Amino acid sequence: MNTDQLEYFLAIVKYKSFTKAANEMFISQSSLSKKIKALENELGIELLNRGKSIIELTHAGKEVYDFAQSFFKEYNKLNKSLDQYRAVSETYIRFASIPILSYYGTSSLLAKFSSENLDKKIYFNIIEMNQEYVMQALNNDEVDIALVRDNFNLVLSNYNFINYYEDEFLLVCNKNHELAHKKTLSYEEIEKYPFILMDKTSTLNDIVIKEFERRNLKLNIKNIVSRHNLILEMISKDIGISILPKKLLETSNINNIVSIPFEKPLKNKLILLIKNNKNHTATTKKFWQFCKENIKE
């Protein structure tokens, strides 16, 4: 049994799917299946019930899951403790984000900080996960700084934060859709149309659903998917409509879709978070100050 096997196992439990876990861990589904089977053979017992549409833990699997969770928590704690003995010439900043880094200029921000500190050998350990797990990692001191959406469940008094970017959400439809000619839209106008929604692991799901609940409206949800690129492909085939952040649409190369703003704009902020009750390293503090000086919302 090794750490890779345990990480793969935790990913499967997290997503309840070999396919989604394989995508998240950048491994083929067949390779992932073989590695989990090898782990089960080594332990001499099945860890997962595979017969259902959703993967579930066996009783033995639950014990291994609890062990793996505890192991990685202690491993990360040990790793952080050992930092004091490592060469001071190399320093890591642990940075977690929801899956948006390639859309919002974050890589440029990190690159600029690194280029200004070449003599310090500062590196970033970057992970992208859904918001629930990003916040879990931040709260468990597994990462130093997190980039998330300001949603309804965040208690900002527990953190220092920097407003990173304000997103406007737009209605997205096929260019031949009967709404495509509109300059602006009301929320009531889209209730009847088949809607494609991001799944519950995405904060986009929560933002859109809560906005319609607030207005006592109900979406006609027909499809739920895990990637916004898939939503755009489905819209290009006129399968439905959706609501997505404007920034995510700017890099799309799909030509037969249009985006329309709402008469009463739907907006949401991306924010950088750091725990306010923790002794941060000098490097982390330096990067936080750099962000405050260089981020122009």
Side-chain angles (χ1 to χ4, degrees), residues 135 138-139 141 144 153-161 271-278 280 288:
M135 292 306 303
L138 182 64
N139 292 330
D141 294 331
D144 304 304
N153 302 316
L154 279 180
V155 182
L156 290 180
S157 59
N158 296 331
Y159 312 94
N160 291 320
F161 68 93
I271 53 177
L272 279 175
L273 295 179
I274 191 170
K275 289 177 74 174
N276 61 12
N277 60 347
K278 178 185 171 186
H280 299 285
W288 187 254

Side-chain angles (χ1 to χ4, degrees), residues 94-98 101 127 131 133-139 143-149 159-162 164 270-275 287-288:
R94 301 169 304 167
F95 188 95
S97 172
I98 57 176
L101 292 180
I127 56 173
Q131 182 142 329
Y133 290 97
V134 169
M135 292 306 303
Q136 187 178 73
L138 182 64
N139 292 330
V143 299
D144 304 304
I145 294 173
L147 177 60
V148 297
R149 290 195 181 277
Y159 312 94
N160 291 320
F161 68 93
I162 299 170
Y164 184 78
L270 289 168
I271 53 177
L272 279 175
L273 295 179
I274 191 170
K275 289 177 74 174
F287 177 65
W288 187 254

Side-chain angles (χ1 to χ4, degrees), residues 62-252:
K62 179 65 166 63
E63 290 201 30
V64 174
Y65 174 78
D66 291 341
F67 165 79
Q69 290 277 71
S70 176
F71 168 78
F72 281 112
K73 185 174 182 180
E74 291 303 313
Y75 176 82
N76 290 329
K77 189 185 298 183
L78 173 63
N79 207 28
K80 187 166 182 61
S81 177
L82 293 176
D83 281 345
Q84 61 186 307
Y85 305 110
R86 295 188 174 111
V88 295
S89 59
E90 293 189 1
T91 309
Y92 287 85
I93 298 172
R94 301 169 304 167
F95 188 95
S97 172
I98 57 176
I100 58 165
L101 292 180
S102 59
Y103 302 98
Y104 290 84
T106 314
S107 57
S108 298
L109 181 75
L110 305 184
K112 182 179 179 183
F113 178 78
S114 297
S115 67
E116 292 181 6
N117 293 274
L118 289 175
D119 59 321
K120 306 290 194 308
K121 292 188 178 180
I122 297 172
Y123 304 101
F124 287 94
N125 185 357
I126 302 170
I127 56 173
E128 285 187 301
M129 303 180 289
N130 68 52
Q131 182 142 329
E132 177 185 354
Y133 290 97
V134 169
M135 292 306 303
Q136 187 178 73
L138 182 64
N139 292 330
N140 290 339
D141 294 331
E142 295 167 5
V143 299
D144 304 304
I145 294 173
L147 177 60
V148 297
R149 290 195 181 277
D150 183 7
N151 70 2
F152 312 92
N153 302 316
L154 279 180
V155 182
L156 290 180
S157 59
N158 296 331
Y159 312 94
N160 291 320
F161 68 93
I162 299 170
N163 288 326
Y164 184 78
Y165 187 87
E166 184 173 62
D167 253 334
E168 181 179 1
F169 284 61
L170 306 177
L171 186 282
V172 189
C173 65
N174 188 279
K175 68 177 183 180
N176 296 317
H177 195 278
E178 60 186 73
L179 293 176
H181 70 282
K182 294 274 190 175
K183 298 299 182 184
T184 60
L185 283 165
S186 68
Y187 297 92
E188 289 80 3
E189 286 180 271
I190 70 173
E191 269 191 300
K192 67 178 182 179
Y193 297 103
F195 195 89
I196 310 168
L197 185 67
M198 290 288 287
D199 68 22
K200 289 184 178 180
T201 63
S202 171
T203 48
L204 302 185
N205 174 294
D206 200 34
I207 291 166
V208 172
I209 291 293
K210 286 289 199 309
E211 182 64 23
F212 276 76
E213 287 178 348
R214 187 177 71 83
R215 297 175 179 277
N216 295 315
L217 300 173
K218 188 174 182 180
L219 288 166
N220 181 22
I221 299 169
K222 295 299 183 183
N223 295 281
I224 298 176
V225 301
S226 60
R227 304 287 183 189
H228 83 273
N229 286 331
L230 178 56
I231 290 180
L232 294 177
E233 289 177 13
M234 294 172 74
I235 293 172
S236 74
K237 294 175 173 59
D238 210 10
I239 293 173
I241 64 174
S242 191
I243 296 174
L244 292 169
K246 182 178 180 180
K247 197 70 174 174
L248 293 184
L249 302 173
E250 291 178 355
T251 57
S252 171

Side-chain angles (χ1 to χ4, degrees), residues 42-64:
E42 180 182 343
L43 297 176
I45 196 164
E46 287 191 350
L47 304 177
L48 302 166
N49 285 321
R50 297 170 171 82
K52 301 180 180 180
S53 58
I54 297 178
I55 302 294
E56 293 181 346
L57 287 169
T58 62
H59 292 299
K62 179 65 166 63
E63 290 201 30
V64 174

Side-chain angles (χ1 to χ4, degrees), residues 18-29:
F18 274 86
T19 302
K20 289 184 178 180
N23 289 336
E24 181 71 15
M25 301 302 292
F26 301 101
I27 186 174
S28 70
Q29 185 175 337

